[in-house]
Each structure stands twice: as structure tokens, then as C-alpha cells.
Amino acid sequence: MAKCIVLRGRGIVEGRCKAEALVSTKPISFLGDVDPETGKIIEKKHDLYGVSIKDRVLCFPHGHGSTVGSYVLYSLAKKGLAPKAIINHKADPVIVVGAVIANIPMIDKIDIGKINSGDIIKADAYKGIVKILKAEEG
Amino acid sequence: MKILVKIGELFDASRLIPIESAHVSGVSYKTLGEAPTDFLEALANTGEKIKVEATLNPQSLDPKHLATRLPKHLIEMQLKLCGIFEKLGFKKSFTCTPYYIKEPRKGAHLAWAESSAVVYANSVLGAWTNREGGPSALAAAIIGKTPDCGIHRAENRKPKVVAEVKASLENEIDYGALGIFLGKILEDKIPLIKGLKNPSPEDLKQLGAALASAGMVNMFHYKDRIKTEERLEKIIVEPKDIKETVAELTTTRTQKTDLVFVGCPHCSLREIKKIANAISNQKVRDDIEFWICTSRLVKEKAKAYVRKIEASGAKILTDTCAVVTWTDKLGIKTIMTNSAKTAHYAPTLNKAETILASLKECLKTALKE
């Protein structure tokens, strides 16, 4: 049996998806932190260093840094390397604009500390709902 | 338009407000790439034009020094991208310091991207702008308006935290390090930075550029006389915090420097003058490139200093900088810079080792004894 936790936030860019979570405790600057050619995190000091964000539900506290990040998200989406959805604690305009033009479902005002990498997530950005389907432990 | 309405909805804007100017990022083909170039081309083909005064961030080419040294297809794509912006109605400003071209009025509403310029405009010049994403700054330039949200509202510009600087900041790299240190811990809380001793505008430029690179906060207060609400959370910045941050921004202690780069953000006239005077009659070493980056306008104004600097073998580049061009394709493996922002980005964006060093030390490294 899987147990299910429901978190309620705010839907930002509409869409629904079900995919595996990838959770970072660190903010992300898409320009610089993410390689647009591979979709991998290339910032050595980042906790997701070397990991691909492709097709994951990418959960991180907020965006920071370069304002070109919006375009990097768009590039990733065009190459099929974008995350399936973005979940933030606090939405940042650079990430929002990127998600809008790249058409990536996005939700914020979520306590991402409740989500672990590897959890299966059902994200409904129409309603701002994140369902965490965890495999039963032990 | 959809972009602006979305931002407005999210951040509780009740209306769109007219802007004095826009500043657009995402102009270098290196940082943009193919898909966003197509996106912008499609926009330009609709016949849309900018309606307010608007400037462009740096691109990847300098007309004099880089145009012949980079691979042909990259040059072609950059020229194509510049043509797209021209079609949208932009002039060839290509700088991250639009405030040296025209200083915004105090209290004017702007829609600026380029995070370093956003922080400088809000904190040093007293203009009001959110940190726009590249596409939303462009959208604002086209409609001449921006959503009335975030720090376009007085109540959101107040300090939320006090940063008490116990360290004495000796030069621009200490100011940059302070920005990186605070950027990492502030989240979105605007700081009142106390304890700065007569910072120059250029010191504050370094502080703001670094703050925005490492964090999400878009402005700082630094004048002690500003009124704060009763009890604010306090952060103490110790000398060791600055020292450790400076050390972390240097990735190599053994590798030979290939490029000494000054001008992130682009140099002011005062900085060019300072460099010219410091160089005196010395020459740049044969095994090192020395770049000083600025805008076309400042270079034009600095003619006499430019001649002196170029006589040394140093290169004054306009329209671009080391971060937004392909230094790796020029064989540059190690970059020494006095900019904490560059030191923060260069390991990933330039695939280079970095050395953060003061202007004095940069000059010592670049010049023959």
C-alpha cells in the first residue's frame, strides 16, 4: 500500500503531471547552474551536482541569479530536457516567466521539505495541489 | 502580454503602470542559444516594436577584438540575434550598466532585467524596478508598462533584516564578497547594511552585482539614517566571513592566469581613468590577455584614457564581457578578475578556473615589471 500526502499551494502555470520528484534545498539559477545541452546541474557547489532535471518534478526553494534563466528553461523545454513540473517555496519572476514561455506546470507556496527525491508526485497546477505518493517504508 | 498578466496576478498587482525605461537581458547568443533566438525572431516577425526607451544587455562580440577570433557560425548567430533586436526597435547599447548611458530619475518606475543593474537602480539611484526575467523586460518594453507589484510598491521596499558589517572592507573584492555572503543567506529579505565606511558608487556596484548573483534580493539599504521598523532580525558579518568568501571564489592557486578581466559590471568613466593612471607607461605581459570591458558610450567619453590603456597592450572591449563570450574557445583556462560576480559564474559559464583579486593585484599580474 502506498500512503499519500497532499500539499496545497498556488497554481502558477497550468498543467498536470505524474513523475518522480527531484528535491534540492538550494535555490537554482538556470543560467550557470544547469547545462542547457544536457539538462544536468553543473554547479559543483549545488546539492544536485551532476543530476539531470529532465522529466522530474523539480522541487527547490526559489530561483536566484541571472535574469536569462527564463530563456534557459525555454531552451531545455524545446530540447526535451525540461522538468515535468516545477514546485517552489516562493515563486521568483525569472522562473515564472520561464515556465510560462516554456509551458511547464508550476506551483508555489509548497513546503518542499515534505518531499523527498524519488517520491512519485502527482502535480495539479490547475488547483495548486501536490500529491506525494510514497512507497511504504520498512 | 500573457507573461505580464501572469506576473501581475501572482504578485497581487492591481494594475499595469507606465515605465520610464526598460532594460533587456538575453542578448548574448552564448547564454541564449538556438531556441530562444527562434522565439525572439518569431516575435520580431510579428512587427512588434518597443514603445519606451530601452537598452540591451551585452552580447558576445566586441567589434574590434573578438569578431575575428571566434568560430564563424557563432559570430553569424550573434549577428542574427542583434538584427532581431534591431528589428524590434533597439539601439546598439549592449551594456550591463545602462545607468551610465542615462541615469534613471529617482523614484521612476522601470522594468529592468540584468540583476546587477536592478540592484544598483534600486539601492544606489533610488529608481524602482523588480528583477525582470529577460522575456518580461522585453514584453514591458513593447507595451511600455509593468505590473504594479513587488518593489514597485513602497511597503515592499522596507528593510526586513539588519546586516551589521564588523569586517572592514578594504577594496572592491571585499564588497563583492559581502554581496555573495549576504545573497546566500538573505532569501528575499531586503537588508539594511550597516557599517559600510564611505563606499564609492563602484564599491556598491560590486556589492549589488554579487548580491544578485548569489541571491534573490533586489535591493539593499546602506544609509544608517533610514528608519526601520522596531525590531528587525540581525545578521552579523564577521571579518572571517568576508575572508572565507573571497577564498571560496578563487578555484586555483597554482594555475597560470591566461586572462585578467576587469569590467564586470561594465567600467565607469572613473574606473577607466583609474586604470589608465595606474598603468602609466607599463606594458602587458606577452603571455597574458588583459581585458577592460565597458560600454560604447563610456569608451567614447574616455578617449584619452583609452589611448593610454591600449598603448600598454591591454584591450578595451565594448558591447560584451568575459562571462557572455566564449573565452573557452579562445583557449582561456584561468581568469583573474576583481569581480565577485564573474568569479561566481565563470567556473560554469566559462569552464574556467578563477582567481578573485583586487584591481591592484590584477594590474600587477597583467603588467610587466
Side-chain angles (χ1 to χ4, degrees):
Chain A
M1 275 290 285
K3 60 177 178 178
C4 173
I5 297 170
V6 179
L7 305 173
R8 283 171 205 279
R10 174 173 68 162
I12 293 179
V13 181
E14 296 86 354
R16 280 187 198 98
C17 76
K18 183 177 170 183
E20 199 182 317
L22 180 65
V23 184
S24 168
T25 57
K26 293 201 163 189
I28 294 179
S29 166
F30 278 84
L31 182 72
D33 287 356
V34 184
D35 180 0
E37 301 300 323
T38 62
K40 284 185 182 168
I41 303 276
I42 49 168
E43 167 60 54
K44 286 181 185 153
K45 291 170 198 154
H46 205 276
D47 59 357
L48 297 180
Y49 176 62
V51 180
S52 168
I53 61 172
K54 178 181 188 281
D55 294 339
R56 308 287 287 268
V57 172
L58 183 61
C59 310
F60 57 103
H62 56 80
H64 72 138
S66 171
T67 61
V68 179
S70 313
Y71 286 118
V72 176
L73 266 170
Y74 182 79
S75 269
L76 289 166
K78 286 287 164 190
K79 287 181 193 151
L81 298 170
K84 277 264 199 271
I86 291 173
I87 315 273
N88 279 169
H89 176 54
K90 270 183 191 155
D92 159 270
V94 174
I95 307 287
V96 172
V97 171
V100 170
I101 62 173
N103 218 1
I104 300 168
M106 178 171 176
I107 301 172
D108 85 333
K109 300 195 171 176
I110 293 286
D111 178 3
I112 57 166
K114 295 215 159 58
I115 309 171
N116 293 311
S117 286
D119 289 348
I120 301 300
I121 300 284
K122 269 173 101 172
D124 182 344
Y126 292 98
K127 294 177 183 161
I129 291 175
V130 175
K131 283 187 185 167
I132 311 169
L133 313 170
K134 288 184 193 266
E136 203 170 21
E137 287 162 15
Chain B
M1 188 68 192
K2 187 187 168 195
I3 296 172
L4 296 181
V5 170
K6 183 61 89 181
I7 292 276
E9 278 172 13
L10 287 175
F11 300 99
D12 302 323
S14 52
R15 61 196 177 116
L16 292 168
I17 47 171
I19 51 168
E20 182 179 280
S21 67
H23 178 75
V24 171
S25 68
V27 184
S28 156
Y29 186 71
K30 179 190 152 188
T31 57
L32 216 56
E34 202 176 332
T37 302
D38 294 345
F39 172 90
L40 291 170
E41 189 176 29
L43 176 67
N45 286 341
T46 63
E48 291 283 4
K49 302 259 185 240
I50 55 168
K51 288 193 187 56
V52 289
E53 211 164 305
T55 38
L56 290 175
N57 232 20
Q59 51 140 326
S60 59
L61 303 175
D62 158 272
K64 192 171 167 191
H65 297 291
L66 296 177
T68 53
R69 294 171 63 192
L70 290 163
K72 207 174 152 210
H73 72 282
L74 295 178
I75 293 175
E76 280 168 5
M77 288 310 288
Q78 180 64 67
L79 293 175
K80 180 185 169 185
L81 186 52
C82 292
I84 292 169
F85 280 111
E86 210 171 322
K87 198 169 171 185
L88 284 162
F90 285 93
K91 289 186 203 130
K92 296 171 177 173
S93 38
F94 304 130
T95 181
C96 50
T97 56
Y99 42 87
Y100 293 150
I101 296 181
K102 189 183 174 191
E103 197 172 299
R105 278 183 309 114
K106 207 171 175 190
H109 292 278
L110 319 171
W112 283 14
E114 174 46 43
S115 54
S116 71
V118 167
V119 179
Y120 195 84
N122 282 311
S123 317
V124 182
L125 304 176
W128 295 24
T129 176
N130 284 321
R131 170 171 144 270
E132 300 285 345
S136 66
L138 180 55
I142 289 171
I143 70 160
K145 291 173 184 173
T146 195
D148 175 27
C149 59
I151 55 177
H152 286 291
R153 292 190 176 184
E155 68 269 26
N156 296 334
R157 299 176 66 85
K158 291 178 186 161
K160 292 274 183 298
V161 54
V162 173
E164 182 97 48
V165 181
K166 300 274 190 205
S168 109
L169 306 178
E170 303 294 338
N171 51 34
E172 71 278 20
I173 65 172
D174 287 349
Y175 279 90
L178 174 64
I180 298 282
F181 177 79
L182 289 176
K184 285 182 180 168
I185 55 178
L186 286 174
E187 295 179 349
D188 61 350
K189 292 186 285 254
I190 293 174
L192 166 59
I193 304 175
K194 285 188 170 180
L196 302 186
K197 293 181 186 72
N198 298 320
S200 69
E202 286 82 4
D203 289 334
L204 297 172
K205 176 173 76 170
Q206 288 299 333
L207 165 57
L211 188 67
S213 307
M216 105 191 265
V217 65
N218 302 327
M219 72 177 288
F220 61 85
H221 298 276
Y222 66 100
K223 288 176 180 155
D224 276 345
R225 64 176 180 272
I226 184 148
K227 280 185 197 157
T228 56
E229 280 161 19
E230 39 340 312
R231 315 207 70 184
L232 292 178
E233 179 196 337
K234 202 168 194 178
I235 296 166
I236 306 285
V237 184
E238 302 285 355
K240 75 165 179 36
D241 297 326
I242 300 298
K243 223 173 153 186
E244 283 171 12
T245 307
V246 169
E248 278 168 19
L249 290 164
T250 290
T251 62
T252 178
R253 307 210 178 264
T254 50
Q255 218 159 288
K256 179 203 152 282
T257 298
D258 299 315
L259 171 68
V260 173
F261 164 49
V262 175
C264 168
H266 275 173
C267 282
S268 66
L269 185 58
R270 270 168 36 137
E271 287 172 300
I272 303 262
K273 181 181 170 185
K274 191 173 168 187
I275 294 164
N277 290 340
I279 286 179
S280 185
N281 292 318
Q282 287 170 280
K283 299 277 180 229
V284 173
R285 287 167 50 145
D286 301 328
D287 57 349
I288 282 184
E289 286 202 47
F290 183 16
W291 292 5
I292 297 141
C293 292
T294 187
S295 61
R296 293 177 178 210
L297 188 90
V298 168
K299 185 181 175 186
E300 186 60 34
K301 279 187 192 164
K303 265 186 188 156
Y305 306 121
V306 167
R307 270 196 299 275
K308 198 166 168 189
I309 292 171
E310 288 187 331
S312 74
K315 299 182 176 97
I316 299 207
L317 276 64
T318 63
D319 305 1
T320 189
C321 77
V323 176
V324 297
T325 195
W326 295 273
T327 51
D328 53 330
K329 297 202 184 332
L330 302 173
I332 290 162
K333 294 189 179 69
T334 304
I335 301 175
M336 176 182 279
T337 179
N338 66 341
S339 161
K341 174 176 180 171
T342 292
H344 176 79
Y345 278 123
T348 53
L349 288 177
N350 299 81
K351 301 180 194 82
E353 300 289 341
T354 56
I355 302 160
L356 179 64
S358 65
L359 177 63
K360 206 171 156 189
E361 209 175 321
C362 284
L363 287 164
K364 204 175 147 195
T365 303
L367 299 170
K368 289 178 187 168
E369 285 180 17

